[in-house]
Amino acid sequence: MPAEQLSEAAYDRLRRRQWLAGEARADGVERRTLLRMLAAAGVIAAPTAGALLTARPALARTAADPGAAAGPAAGPAAGPVPGIVKPLPAEWFVPRGTNAEMRFDALRDGADGAPVGRHIPVERFFVRNHTSTPLIDADGWRLKLFGSGLRGAPTADRPVEFSLADLRALPAHSISALIECAGNGRSFYGSQQHQTVPGTPWTLGGIGSARWRGVRLADVLRRAGLTRDAVDVLPSGLDPEFTAGGVSLGRVRRPLPVGKALDDVLLAYEMNGDPLTPDHGAPVRLVVPGWVGIASIKWVGSIEVADQPLYSPWNTDFYRLFGPDHPAGGSAPLTTQVVKSAFELARGAVLPAGRSHRLHGRSWSGAAPIRRVEVSVDGGRRWRRAELRDEPRADDWTRWSVEWRPAASGPYELRARAVDRRGNTQPEVAVFNREGYLFDAVVVHPVTVA
Ligand SMILES: Nc1nc2c(c(=O)[nH]1)N[C@H]1C(S)=C(S)[C@@H](COP(=O)(O)O)O[C@H]1N2
Ligand SMILES: [Mo]
């Protein structure tokens, strides 16, 4: 783990301990100031310490809550990211504030010595939490639908309800889908383009692919009495309210146009053949194929269906593009993900000299199947076609590899770039936006041959 990450995590843990012990205020540090400090350190988006002080959903305890007695939550406070339940071994993850980034180099090293396949095992899948993982009692859980876009306009206090058993009784569908954070690759705005952006400094591991099983959101909406006037649906999570700058922004929630909701969105209760685990949204989450990860609301508790556009901070202040090259007042809310490529190799890896190496990687696009991948080992002067190891498909990434025999020892810059079937490419430079979303430029991957 890079020293910078370690100290950041340690700092975060220390501040959280002090906060919980009531010492932060005694230090003269107000909660507001703490949040600003954490934000400035690039630790968050998510002030877990603050979130602990806000109201929690009735059915949920949270993994970060030391008062949340026994049960599966007992261990995680000791881990590198207190709000996450599952173990986060350093070989598989880089802790990033309240989140855990998947290490691409670990994909060469799967179970039984074989590399990890197209889908990422649940225990290796990245986690992006605004606050902390809630532990929800699946038997007491109900999905509550309400709003002006449903027949009879049920209100939030008298919603249409579905239990988990109700959902499991509906026709089941399975899909492959990538979940990718809109901020994946964000750190390269800084390291490659010298542009300062706030938020989680992901390299390329804010992504995972899985097989999801559940019911179509369309089926549930129709059964709940969807009307032809419905415009937007607003799924809302049961995790603690998200607090920024000392102000609660409420539950994590982001509206989705009814067109997408009826198209290919799943209410998933299984991931890779097993019931969802707490960190990935148990008992039920949305999976919104091709779109930025924030659309795929975890721990969904309610869905408002409205006959007029809906708004939340997640489609107004966040997850839109602001900056000189974007419309005044910001772009439309982000939807489809961009093209990216990653080597399954550590940054700064040392490769033995005097022999040939097979370089492996993956490329993906939210818009279309990958058409072509090229690799350069000489700083971007010459490019070679990589061999595609998967039949490219719209719903998943494409694995590839290329043989390389370095001519001499020394430092090298590897690059990979992909084109999708709609012609979306990876430019030399990503267009800047204030929050550092959608980094699609070619990433420089340094290695040493020795
Ligand atoms: N309720 C809720 N849903 C959420 C989030 C969250 O913090 N709370 N994070 C979102 C973001 S920003 C991403 S990228 C994905 C991450 O999903 P994962 O943790 O299963 O990888 O979940 C999304 N759904
Ligand atoms: Mo995200």
Side-chain angles (χ1 to χ4, degrees):
M1 192 195 309
E4 172 198 327
Q5 280 311 317
L6 226 163
S7 61
E8 190 178 89
Y11 168 81
D12 196 18
R13 269 203 304 280
L14 171 68
R15 297 306 297 161
R16 188 175 290 114
R17 267 205 308 279
Q18 289 178 329
W19 183 258
L20 291 172
E23 288 166 14
R25 193 173 291 270
D27 281 351
V29 181
E30 297 278 344
R31 181 151 152 264
R32 210 174 254 282
T33 314
L34 167 66
L35 296 171
R36 227 177 285 121
M37 287 164 65
L38 291 172
V43 172
I44 46 169
T48 304
L52 289 173
L53 303 177
T54 66
R56 251 175 260 107
L59 289 170
R61 293 176 296 135
T62 86
D65 186 346
V81 182
I84 295 179
V85 170
K86 69 183 177 184
L88 301 171
E91 316 89 80
W92 292 353
F93 292 102
V94 180
R96 299 212 183 273
T98 54
N99 317 297
E101 173 163 359
M102 181 193 75
R103 286 180 51 167
F104 259 95
D105 56 314
L107 298 182
R108 296 314 303 156
D109 180 23
D112 315 325
V116 171
R118 195 155 58 85
H119 296 142
I120 303 298
V122 175
E123 62 271 22
R124 292 170 178 253
F125 207 93
F126 89 106
V127 181
R128 161 67 172 120
N129 280 352
H130 279 71
T131 61
S132 55
T133 294
L135 300 171
I136 295 167
D137 162 31
D139 293 331
W141 177 87
R142 296 288 181 277
L143 178 62
K144 300 176 180 176
L145 292 103
F146 61 92
S148 56
L150 297 179
R151 261 197 312 280
T155 58
D157 345 328
R158 309 196 57 185
V160 181
E161 295 195 352
F162 293 81
S163 69
L164 186 54
D166 293 336
L167 295 186
R168 282 190 172 271
L170 296 177
H173 287 271
S174 290
I175 59 170
S176 283
L178 295 160
I179 304 275
E180 182 183 18
C181 195
N184 194 24
R186 175 183 283 129
S187 68
F188 302 111
Y189 279 106
S191 62
Q192 289 191 188
Q193 304 188 177
H194 312 290
Q195 292 160 333
T196 307
V197 288
T200 306
W202 304 103
T203 57
L204 286 169
I207 185 167
S209 158
R211 187 95 186 137
W212 308 91
R213 185 162 181 270
V215 294
R216 292 201 165 117
L217 178 57
D219 289 344
V220 171
L221 291 175
R222 291 208 181 91
R223 277 181 172 74
L226 186 73
T227 71
R228 262 186 289 173
D229 299 326
V231 175
D232 271 355
V233 308
L234 176 54
S236 184
L238 291 169
D239 38 341
E241 293 186 3
F242 177 67
T243 304
V247 177
S248 173
L249 301 180
R251 295 276 163 75
V252 176
R253 62 201 189 284
R254 189 178 200 247
L256 200 64
V258 78
K260 180 69 173 173
L262 293 178
D263 180 20
D264 58 358
V265 176
L266 204 66
L267 279 164
Y269 45 69
E270 281 178 19
M271 181 176 181
N272 293 340
D274 290 311
L276 282 186
T277 57
D279 294 313
H280 298 291
V284 175
R285 79 176 297 168
L286 253 70
V287 174
V288 182
W291 282 29
V292 288
I294 185 62
S296 294
I297 293 293
K298 303 193 276 188
W299 315 293
V300 58
S302 67
I303 300 180
E304 178 176 357
V305 185
D307 63 6
Q308 55 197 354
L310 294 173
Y311 299 94
S312 86
W314 287 267
N315 73 336
T316 54
D317 296 339
F318 313 139
Y319 301 101
R320 294 170 59 201
L321 306 178
F322 296 94
D325 299 313
H326 300 291
S331 72
L334 298 182
T335 58
T336 310
Q337 271 287 10
V338 294
V339 186
K340 291 195 188 69
S341 302
F343 287 95
E344 297 177 354
L345 187 66
R347 297 178 64 74
V350 178
L351 305 176
R355 50 162 279 214
S356 179
H357 298 276
R358 185 156 279 274
L359 304 173
H360 298 266
R362 302 181 186 220
S363 297
W364 61 94
S365 161
I370 292 298
R371 181 161 68 200
R372 184 175 71 243
V373 181
E374 295 168 321
V375 169
S376 169
V377 295
D378 61 1
R381 273 182 296 282
R382 280 169 308 162
W383 294 84
R384 261 195 307 150
R385 276 295 259 267
E387 276 172 54
L388 304 189
R389 321 273 287 195
D390 289 308
E391 185 55 45
R393 37 194 287 173
D395 60 2
D396 217 327
W397 42 26
T398 300
R399 289 171 292 174
W400 46 261
S401 71
V402 68
E403 195 74 18
W404 178 39
R405 192 183 168 90
S409 301
Y412 285 84
E413 280 185 2
L414 309 182
R415 283 170 169 78
R417 68 180 184 198
V419 185
D420 75 16
R421 287 192 192 153
R422 291 244 176 104
N424 298 305
T425 58
Q426 296 192 250
E428 286 292 306
V429 176
V431 176
F432 170 81
N433 66 92
R434 200 183 66 198
E435 310 293 333
Y437 297 128
L438 304 188
F439 187 90
D440 59 353
V442 177
V443 169
V444 179
H445 191 117
V447 297
T448 301
V449 173

